[in-house]
Amino acid sequence: MRSGFLNFFQPPNYPDPERYIRARNAHTILLGTLGLTVLFLIYSFFFPPYTQIVVAILAIALEFGLLALLRSGRINLAGSLLTLALWSAILYEVILYGGIRDTGFAAFIPIIIIAGLIMGGRSAIGLTGITLLASVGLAYAENRGWLPAYQEVSLGSVIISHAISLVTAALLLDLSTRSITFVARRAID
């Protein structure tokens, strides 16, 4: 039983190099988000609001479901659902805390990179277009007064938010570089 559980956390193996790379990228990203969600769950036990506990548990259940989808070979579906969930969570946070001026808006960049790594460049371009449309909608709603007023945050909060986005983007680009290196080595062999 233990080995079956541990095998669940191993990346799926496919003979097709492109499918293997996309599955491995999705697997790595899912494990990363799962780890961050577990840390968020632990954090939410100590700091209110305690509704965050429910959100974290639902997110963990979704991530396990996406890992199961990935293991069954449904890479695009798992990638689409992961990207949609992350993108929606960021949009929700941005709407609640200040629209396009919110520091969390920069978190859309790693989500776009995730879409490109799992589903290809066209998905990243499409998600960029949707994000730009959402930003225009947010700007309009903000100017009309339909969104809560922008909450001034400390400089430290801004730096932390941007640092998280930049480090995440750098790690995803490193994952992309490793994927390219793997394909190049496999082509030479």
Side-chain angles (χ1 to χ4, degrees), residues 18-19 78 84 129 132 145 165 172:
E18 180 189 351
R19 189 171 170 83
L84 176 65
L132 288 172
S165 295
L172 290 169

Side-chain angles (χ1 to χ4, degrees), residues 110 161-171:
S161 178
H162 288 313
I164 290 170
S165 295
L166 291 171
V167 167
T168 303
L171 290 172

Side-chain angles (χ1 to χ4, degrees), residues 98-118:
I100 59 173
R101 291 184 183 99
D102 181 51
T103 57
F105 195 82
F108 282 119
I109 295 168
I111 307 305
I112 292 168
I113 296 171
I114 288 171
L117 284 171
I118 298 174

Side-chain angles (χ1 to χ4, degrees), residues 5-28:
F5 182 74
L6 292 177
N7 283 339
F8 184 75
F9 289 101
Q10 297 299 317
N13 195 1
Y14 299 105
D16 177 32
E18 180 189 351
R19 189 171 170 83
Y20 172 75
I21 290 296
R22 288 182 28 237
R24 197 180 89 197
N25 288 344
H27 182 264
T28 302

